[in-house]
Every structure is written in C-alpha cells, then in structure tokens.
Amino acid sequence: MAGLLAQWTAVNTSEARNGDIVSTPDSQSSTADGALRPPSRALVPAQSPGLAAAHPHDAPDAPSSSSSSTVGRLVATVERLRQEVREADAAADGRALVELAKGILVERLGCGPAQAAEQLDTLAEQSGTSRLELAADIVNQASRDRVSELAAAFAELTQAPPEGDADGTRRAGHAAASLSVRLRTAESGVLAAGDTQAVARSLLENALDPLGAAAVAVWSAGTDGSLLLAGHAGFTDGEAARWRYVPPEVTTFARLALTERRPVVSARPSEPSVPSLGRHHWPEGGRIALPSGAGGRIHGVLEICWPTPLGPQPPQIMRQLEALAELCAHTLHDLPLPEQSPALPEVPADLRELADLADNLHDPALVLTPALDGQGNLADFRIQHVNEHFADPVGRPSGAISGSLLLEAYPTAADDNGLYERIERVYATGEPLRSQRMTLTSLVGQVPLPAVADVSISRHGGAVLLLWRTEDETARLASLLQHAQRLGRVGGFEENLVTGEITWNSQLFDIHGQPASASPVPMEELAEHAHPDDGVGIRRFLRTVLHHRRDASVDFRLQRPDGITRHIRVVAEPVLDAQGMPIAVRGAYQDISAQHWTEVALAATRDQLAYTEAESADRVRLTLQLQQAIMPPAPAPLQVPGMHIAVRYRPAESEALVGGDWYDTVVLPSKEILLCVGDVAGHGIGAATGMVVLRNALRGLAVTGAGPGQLLSWLNKVAHRLTDQVTATAVCGLYNPESGILRWARAGHLPPVLVRGGNAESLPLSEGLLLGVLDDVAYTEQEIRLERDDTLLMFTDGLVERRDLSVNESVRELLLRTLDAPRDLDRCLDRLLTHSKSDTDDDTCLIGIRLV
C-alpha cells in the first residue's frame, strides 16, 4: 500500500509541476482548469504567529481617537469581529481542504479516517511539501470527477430503470458508486471536524450540493426538548441568528423528526403553519429532516433543504443520508446541551466577592471590568460575571454572554438613553447612579424590543456592578391603584362577620384621622363616630346590607378624633356563603368633603343665577314695553292729501337684543311733513331710553321751522351733552306738499332710496357725522323734487345688513327687490320685510312715501 501511495503521490507531484497547482505562501486561487490552490500561509492557524497570539477575549486595539466616543468603540468592535471572522474563515478553508484530501484517501485506499490522516502526513513528509500543499494536490487530482457528471448521475439514479433494463441498472450502479465517493468524502470530513459548523459546510460541499441541496442545518437537542442551531451552511448569518434557539413548545420541521424519531420528508411546504429555517427563501422547496443519534440516544437533527420540490428518493440515497446523520451525532455528543450552555469562565479572584454579592441579589446583575485598547484608553467593558437571575432577551445562554464585551453583546447599550455613557461616568467618578423607568432595548432578529426598567450602577474597586429591575405589570398596576385611591380619597375595607376580623388599607386610616396602629372601626359602631343627625341614615344603610343582603351606600358626617368633620360616602356589599348567609362585608369609604362644599357653592351660584335671570327678564320686559309704547309694530297711517305714507317696524327676534331703532312721521305747523329714521347704537334699556330722548327732542326742535341740516346739528348737541354717551345715526327729511320738494340731511345713516319710472337708486350721499361724537357738527342739506307715482324709502340697517356682504352690495340687492315689489305701498313694505336677507337679528324701521 505504501508503494501505491508513493507512486500516486509522484504522479500528483508531476501533474502539480505541470501547472495544476501553483502554491504560494500568500495566495489562494484556482488554475485555469479549475484546480484548487492552497490558502495563504498567513491565514493558516499553524503558520500564523499573529493569530496564535490573539485571544478572543483580549481588548480591541482601536485608535484612541475612535475610542474617545461610543461610536468609535462600536466601530473598533465591529472591525475586530470582522478580522476574527476573516481569520476563522481562512483557517476553516484550510481545514476543509485537508479534510477533502483525507476523504479522497479514504475512498481510494479503502481505509478509515485515522489511517487516511496518517497516510497524508507520511506522503507530505516523503514529498517534501507541506500538509496543506499536498492536500491541494490530491484534491486537484481527484477533481476529474466533475460536479456536473455527479449531478447527471444522480438524475439518472433518481429515475428508476424499467424492469429488465440491464443498462439502466448499470448506470444507476455507476451513479451510486460516483455518489459514494462524495458521501465518503463527507463522512471523512464529519469525523475529522472539530465543530458542527465545519461539519455542516463539509456536508453541503461534498455530499449534498451534488444532490441539488441548497442548505443544511445541524440541530442540537436539549433535555427539555429545545433545539439549538449548532451548525449551518447555505443560510444567511442573519437568518441563522434568528433561528439560533427554538424553545420546546415551538413546532418546527426539525422537531417533527425529533419527536417522531424517524426521517421526515416534505416534497414541498404543504403545511405553512409549521415554521422552518429558510422557508421564506425557498417557499416551494422540499426538505428532509433526519434524527441524529448513536447508541439509542438522539442528540439532534440533520435538516437538508432543496430550492425546488423534491421527488421520491431512492433507498440508496436515504441510507447514505441516515449514515451522515449518524456521523453528525458523534460531533453533537461532545457539545454542551442548549440549556447547559458553555461553561462559565472562572471569575478572577479579586472579583469573587463582588460576584457572590451579585449572586445573592434578586435582580439581574452584571459584573463589568474595563477593557483597554493598545494605548491604554477605555475601549469597552467586559462582562466578567452574570448572576442566576440574568436572562438574555435573545435567548443566549449565560456562558455565551459572560466574558464578552458589553458593546459586542449588546450594541444598543450605546443608544439606550446613554446607558454606556452612564456606566463610563460611574467608573470614572466612582459616584453611584440610579435611574428610574429607563428604556432598555434588545435586538431580537433585528427587531428592537424595548423594556422599561429601574437601573442601578455602582463601582466596586476596579469593577462596575450593573443592576436592573424590569417593571412588573402587576406591581405597576398596584401602584397606579394606590395613587388613584390617594388622589380620589378612597379607602377600602373588608369585615369578616364570622371572626370579627377587619382589614383596612392605609388610605382608610388617613380618612378616619387615625394612625395605622389603631384598631379599625366596626360597621355597627359607625354611628358612634358620625354626626348625631346622620344616625338614622347609617342604621338604614346597615339594615340594607346586613339584613336585606343588598348593596347600599350612605353619606354622613364623620367626626374624627382630631376634631375635624369630614363628609364621607361609604359603599358596601355583603359576601354570602353557599347558603346565602352573609359572612363578610366589603366596600370603600370616600372623602367627599370637597365635593360637598363644591355642591354648596354651586347651589348658591344657581340661586344667584336665577335671581340675575329674573332681574334681566324684568329689564327686557320693561324695555319692550317702553319701545312698543313709543313705536308700535303697526302704527296708524298718517293721512296727508296727495301722499300715501306707510310705516313698518320689526323688533329683534331675541328679546335680549332689543335695540334703539326709531322713526317718526308728523305734520308740522308749517304744513311740512317731518320724515325721520334713526338707530341708536347698542341694545337694551340704555338704547331704548336714548331712542326716546332723540325722537322726542327732534319732534320738539322741528316746530321751530328749521331745515333738516340745522335740526340734525341741534340733535347732535342733545346727544353729546344731554345723554349718557349716546351715539346714533339718523336721516331727516322735510317734504313740502305744495312745491313737491323734499329737503333732507343725514347723520352717518344710509341715504333714502327713490323708485321712479321703473328705476330704483339711492339718493346721493351727503356729508354728515353720526350723532353724539363731537359737540359742534354741521350737516349738509340736499333737496329733490318728487313727482307723481314716485316712491321714497327710508330704512335702518336692520333691513339690509349681512355678515358676509358689504353694505353697498346689500343695498344693491335691496334695489333689485324693490323693482319686483307690488305697486301697492303697504304690500311693497311687507314684501321687503318678508324677503329681507339680513342675518344680524337686529330691529328694523321702514318708512314708505308715494305721491298719488
């Protein structure tokens, strides 16, 4: 056998010199025909002094500028982890190449894995090359067995030949033999691998990839039925991290094989309700799960995923897959169980006392020590110890957390309300810190899960103790209830009618003005502590609860020992036994003193409001009576030859808005006719009395024979001097029946409207300030000759005023309505009042004059 190996090695060495492999100390690639080159020696663990000196728990050598901030520390941590991953990948690639070569030797020489390893070392020594370089040569030599040929053989194998087809049988046997090469290579890799991650990669690369499989997962089973993802290949790191731990109560495809203790085959995901690792990547793919056990004990599950639906598998394939699952059991046997977790690192001697203190606490606790960078600056904190109450939110065991860096295990500590900065400050100053209701965030599968906790940080020598107490929902609700009872002045009680035991809460002692050490007052003695006038109501209350066995309540005045009287309301209900007899009474006292005095004040306010409303109603009634006495809504028409005069007055709809609009039509001693309309500012009795003063004053002044401009000047003096700050608008006209001339003047009022010959227009505006503003004001007179069938309208703003239109637009609408009004004057005025679009709810005066 040694001669055969030497001859084969010589052939391999010769082919290697012909260009199949170019081994360089710092490169890893493949030749043009696909032959493998060995990885860089700088990345091989046995030849890398830098890697041998590294330790996963050493502090990161981050630049001091980056370490000066939390972001810098996170960057340094991420870069260190990336470097470790690159080094681990390079080392794994080298190991995988050696294991491939060992698997080929097992197949070619028909020996076991141990003998193959010895032969590989012997051949390397005889050829004068390194073990890794020789492994690359062996793999290149065996690379003639292409993956495509194996896949074609497998496809031919999966199609069962017809009966009597000897050629098909031979092809199937040849494919099975070719497949056996790959499976034996994978078996060798499994036996030689030191961890399940390498096992998973070896299985996928050597045995399962030619079968069309896309991914493989090796699950370790715990004693409680949980599953731990011990190794995987073909899945993303993020997907594997989310599936790292599966609790016992979660049903997955791998658990089916564990519970049924047999291989489980799924052609496609026919049961979407059963979750599986990587299912969303290959929703139509098939999968096989095989229990992995040895010696009658199942250590885990081997789960294989295909990207496409899976057809029926030949018995040869299933036997080989079961053999691979059994080989995985040897590696899983040496792993710690999921619930046992990796062994906790030994606590340094100087931290044992602090660790013992943390272990005796009832809250989760971490013992942290500073981790310095190469320049001696603080880069992070190392978790040296976790107590038994600690529970990782992601489900990682304590052994996986203890010994790691804080920002590496919990990156969100840099953002959780400055948790890392607070730990750093406590370590620097030695001053302890407590923070209530602090939000701590954990990343579970890239999903942030916030939790509210009370955090305590303190320094002990060169270490920091971090404690937190997650807010308990029951305790929080109890605290809220206690605060609600305090704010609502409510106290609860329960009195056992059989034993006489009485239970009060602390708030009830405060209501009674007694210390917590005092004896509670029995309900039957309640009347002795109440005002004598309330005794009847209390006895009726007790009879309803104890005799009639119904809920009841009563208000009474409690006379406390400190001499203070409080108004109390007690509500109680009986507690009945199976026979319906009362065995206890429970209920609550409420101090309603503030409510009582509020009700008293409210009653007094209601009485005052009723008096005010009655007084206001009397004032409005008096105002209406005064207004209606002076200006009745339907006055008697003024009889003048050759002229028809009609007057309309419409009071405000609301009695509270009684205004000061007024009008007057009177024949003067000079035979002229006085026509006037006015509007006093404001509402109520003040406006009504001001209207009376101005109307009567104008009547008296008109008998002097003065013109309308002079009359308004005198009326302005009356408003300014003889009234209590009354202001008003008015339009005054004097009509001479003999000449047909109308002289008129205005004081801030709308001008009259003249309707003549099918046209309606406002008379020109003349100067004139409203009445009562200044003492001496001159008003301009204008005159117009009225003709037969002319109609003159004088009105107050209550006829046209609107909130959404200007006065000019409102007057324009009035002019249009006037043209459509009936010819009869009375009906014309009624039509204008009825169809008025005013929305100010103001009173209105309207005078109409028509020459006949």
Side-chain angles (χ1 to χ4, degrees):
M1 181 180 295
L4 176 62
L5 286 175
Q7 181 182 2
W8 188 52
T9 303
V11 174
N12 291 342
T13 306
S14 175
E15 293 182 359
R17 294 192 185 99
N18 290 335
D20 282 352
I21 293 181
V22 179
S23 300
T24 61
D26 50 14
S27 66
Q28 177 184 359
S29 60
S30 60
T31 60
D33 59 352
L36 294 176
R37 292 177 178 172
S40 169
R41 293 180 181 177
L43 299 180
V44 179
Q47 301 178 6
S48 178
L51 182 59
H55 191 276
H57 288 198
D58 289 344
D61 293 335
S64 59
S65 60
S66 299
S67 301
S68 60
S69 64
T70 304
V71 176
R73 296 187 182 94
L74 286 174
V75 172
T77 300
V78 172
E79 184 59 32
R80 179 179 60 79
L81 292 176
R82 286 178 176 173
Q83 181 62 24
E84 292 180 2
V85 169
R86 287 194 292 267
E87 294 173 353
D89 288 341
D93 291 340
R95 289 197 303 271
L97 190 61
V98 173
E99 297 305 328
L100 279 175
K102 289 165 59 178
I104 294 173
L105 291 179
V106 168
E107 170 62 24
R108 299 294 174 88
L109 303 179
C111 61
Q115 291 82 3
E118 294 176 0
Q119 291 294 337
L120 185 64
D121 293 337
T122 302
L123 291 174
E125 182 178 357
Q126 292 177 357
S127 62
T129 60
S130 67
R131 194 167 184 258
L132 185 59
E133 291 175 330
L134 179 59
D137 291 341
I138 295 175
V139 172
N140 282 331
Q141 178 65 25
S143 63
R144 297 187 182 93
D145 186 11
R146 300 295 181 184
V147 174
S148 59
E149 298 174 0
L150 182 59
F154 173 70
E156 193 174 14
L157 178 64
T158 55
Q159 298 177 357
E163 294 184 5
D165 186 357
D167 293 338
T169 304
R170 284 194 299 272
R171 286 195 304 271
H174 177 71
S178 179
L179 177 62
S180 176
V181 175
R182 293 292 185 177
L183 293 178
R184 286 183 177 273
T185 304
E187 292 172 4
S188 175
V190 170
L191 289 174
D195 61 90
T196 51
Q197 189 63 32
V199 168
R201 285 198 297 266
S202 178
L203 289 177
L204 183 61
E205 294 173 2
N206 299 307
L208 301 177
D209 182 66
L211 301 180
V216 62
V218 180
W219 299 92
S220 176
T223 56
D224 60 347
S226 61
L227 290 174
L228 179 68
L229 185 59
H232 65 90
F235 301 106
T236 63
D237 293 338
E239 180 79 4
R242 287 190 289 271
W243 283 83
R244 186 182 184 280
Y245 176 78
V246 180
E249 63 276 4
V250 178
T251 301
T252 62
F253 189 77
R255 188 177 300 285
L256 295 178
L258 181 66
T259 55
E260 298 179 9
R261 305 177 70 87
R262 65 174 181 83
V264 178
V265 180
S266 174
R268 56 167 48 90
S270 57
E271 298 182 42
S273 60
V274 179
S276 299
L277 174 62
R279 170 145 290 177
H280 67 281
H281 289 298
W282 306 290
E284 295 297 327
R287 62 182 60 218
I288 298 177
L290 306 101
S292 179
R297 177 184 173 186
I298 296 179
H299 298 282
V301 176
L302 176 63
E303 185 176 2
I304 309 169
C305 305
W306 276 264
T308 57
L310 189 63
Q313 298 300 303
Q316 303 96 315
I317 300 297
M318 293 302 299
R319 284 195 298 270
Q320 293 289 354
L321 295 180
E322 291 174 359
L324 291 179
E326 183 177 354
L327 288 174
C328 290
H330 295 283
T331 304
L332 294 174
H333 180 269
D334 299 329
L335 291 178
L337 296 178
E339 67 274 13
Q340 292 174 342
S341 75
L344 294 175
E346 183 178 357
V347 179
D350 56 341
L351 298 178
R352 289 176 184 171
E353 183 176 352
L354 182 59
D356 292 339
L357 173 63
D359 290 337
N360 291 322
L361 298 174
H362 295 286
D363 297 321
L366 298 179
V367 177
L368 309 174
T369 56
L372 307 179
D373 59 15
Q375 287 75 32
N377 299 319
L378 180 64
D380 203 342
F381 286 91
R382 189 171 303 284
I383 303 175
Q384 294 288 0
H385 180 71
V386 298
N387 65 356
E388 61 180 5
H389 298 287
F390 168 81
D392 182 65
V394 188
R396 293 173 292 186
S398 300
I401 300 300
S402 184
S404 61
L405 296 175
L406 179 63
L407 293 179
E408 177 183 326
Y410 300 104
T412 56
D415 299 327
D416 283 337
N417 297 321
L419 176 61
Y420 182 86
E421 295 180 357
R422 300 186 185 196
I423 297 174
E424 188 178 31
R425 184 167 63 252
V426 171
Y427 175 75
T429 63
E431 182 179 353
L433 181 144
R434 284 185 59 87
S435 179
Q436 294 183 347
R437 295 189 59 78
M438 187 175 183
T439 301
L440 303 179
T441 306
S442 302
L443 289 177
V444 180
Q446 304 302 318
V447 177
L449 297 180
V452 179
D454 296 338
V455 178
S456 174
I457 309 172
S458 58
R459 177 173 176 175
H460 301 268
V464 175
L465 181 63
L466 172 62
L467 305 174
W468 69 90
R469 176 176 298 172
T470 305
E471 188 175 73
D472 182 66
E473 186 68 14
T474 303
R476 188 177 71 87
L477 293 178
S479 177
L480 289 177
L481 178 60
Q482 183 177 4
H483 287 301
Q485 290 179 342
R486 177 180 58 83
L487 295 174
R489 302 286 295 170
V490 177
F493 73 93
E494 183 174 271
E495 182 174 342
N496 193 315
L497 301 179
V498 179
T499 63
E501 181 183 1
I502 304 175
T503 303
W504 280 10
N505 66 357
S506 58
Q507 189 62 37
L508 191 52
F509 284 100
D510 294 339
I511 292 176
H512 279 260
Q514 297 183 0
S517 58
S519 299
V521 177
M523 291 193 61
E524 293 185 351
E525 300 178 7
L526 188 59
E528 301 176 7
H529 297 266
H531 192 278
D533 295 343
D534 299 331
V536 176
I538 293 177
R539 285 188 288 272
R540 186 183 301 112
F541 160 75
L542 294 176
R543 180 174 178 82
T544 302
V545 175
L546 301 177
H547 181 69
H548 297 291
R549 306 167 193 171
R550 297 198 305 265
D551 302 349
S553 64
V554 66
D555 296 350
F556 66 96
R557 287 164 288 180
L558 175 66
Q559 295 181 333
R560 305 197 322 182
D562 54 7
I564 299 176
T565 300
R566 307 294 296 180
H567 291 263
I568 304 297
R569 174 176 297 155
V570 58
V571 182
E573 65 176 2
V575 180
L576 308 179
D577 59 10
Q579 288 74 33
M581 299 301 295
I583 59 175
V585 176
R586 60 191 173 199
Y589 288 75
Q590 183 180 14
D591 188 342
I592 59 172
S593 300
Q595 178 182 348
H596 169 77
W597 295 117
T598 300
E599 291 177 353
V600 171
L602 184 60
T605 303
R606 282 196 295 264
D607 294 342
Q608 180 65 32
L609 180 60
Y611 174 77
T612 303
E613 289 179 348
E615 188 179 42
S616 177
D618 292 341
R619 185 181 300 107
V620 170
R621 185 171 57 254
L622 177 61
T623 303
L624 286 174
Q625 292 175 352
L626 177 62
Q627 188 183 56
Q628 293 174 1
I630 299 174
M631 291 184 304
L638 184 65
Q639 300 296 330
V640 177
M643 177 181 291
H644 183 196
I645 300 176
V647 178
R648 295 291 185 271
Y649 173 74
R650 181 180 64 188
E653 295 183 6
S654 175
E655 294 183 351
L657 296 178
V658 174
D661 287 18
W662 54 276
Y663 65 90
D664 200 3
T665 58
V666 62
V667 179
L668 300 176
S670 62
K671 305 303 181 180
E672 289 184 315
I673 302 173
L674 174 65
L675 305 169
C676 60
V677 171
D679 185 1
V680 177
H683 298 86
I685 193 169
T689 55
M691 172 266 295
V692 172
V693 171
L694 296 182
R695 183 175 184 270
N696 292 336
L698 184 58
R699 269 201 173 192
L701 294 172
V703 299
T704 62
Q710 184 62 51
L711 293 178
L712 289 180
S713 297
W714 290 338
L715 191 62
N716 175 70
K717 292 182 180 293
V718 171
H720 185 74
R721 298 182 181 181
L722 304 181
T723 62
D724 187 14
Q725 298 181 350
V726 169
T727 58
T729 64
V731 59
C732 177
L734 291 175
Y735 176 69
N736 189 333
E738 295 181 358
S739 62
I741 294 177
L742 173 69
R743 292 180 298 155
W744 65 282
R746 54 178 291 273
H749 202 86
L750 294 174
V753 172
L754 176 64
V755 181
R756 172 182 291 174
N759 293 323
E761 60 181 359
S762 298
L763 297 184
L765 286 175
S766 59
E767 296 182 359
L769 187 66
L770 59 85
L771 304 174
V773 177
L774 299 177
D775 182 36
D776 191 6
V777 180
Y779 295 91
T780 303
E781 289 186 6
Q782 297 190 52
E783 64 178 37
I784 184 173
R785 182 180 297 276
L786 298 181
E787 301 175 356
R788 186 174 181 179
D789 294 331
D790 284 351
T791 301
L792 185 71
L793 300 177
M794 303 173 67
F795 52 90
T796 57
D797 56 2
L799 181 66
V800 296
E801 190 175 22
R802 293 188 59 179
R803 296 183 177 90
D804 58 344
L805 291 178
S806 65
V807 175
N808 293 334
E809 292 177 345
S810 299
V811 172
R812 193 175 301 114
E813 290 187 358
L814 174 64
L815 297 178
L816 295 176
R817 289 197 303 272
T818 303
L819 296 177
D820 298 334
R823 291 290 301 169
D824 182 74
L825 184 60
D826 292 304
R827 293 177 58 190
C828 176
L829 299 188
D830 293 336
R831 171 75 65 86
L832 294 178
L833 281 178
T834 301
H835 296 280
S836 171
K837 294 184 179 181
S838 174
D839 58 1
T840 58
D841 193 22
D842 198 3
D843 47 356
T844 303
C845 290
L846 177 60
I847 297 178
I849 305 169
R850 176 169 294 169
L851 299 183
V852 295

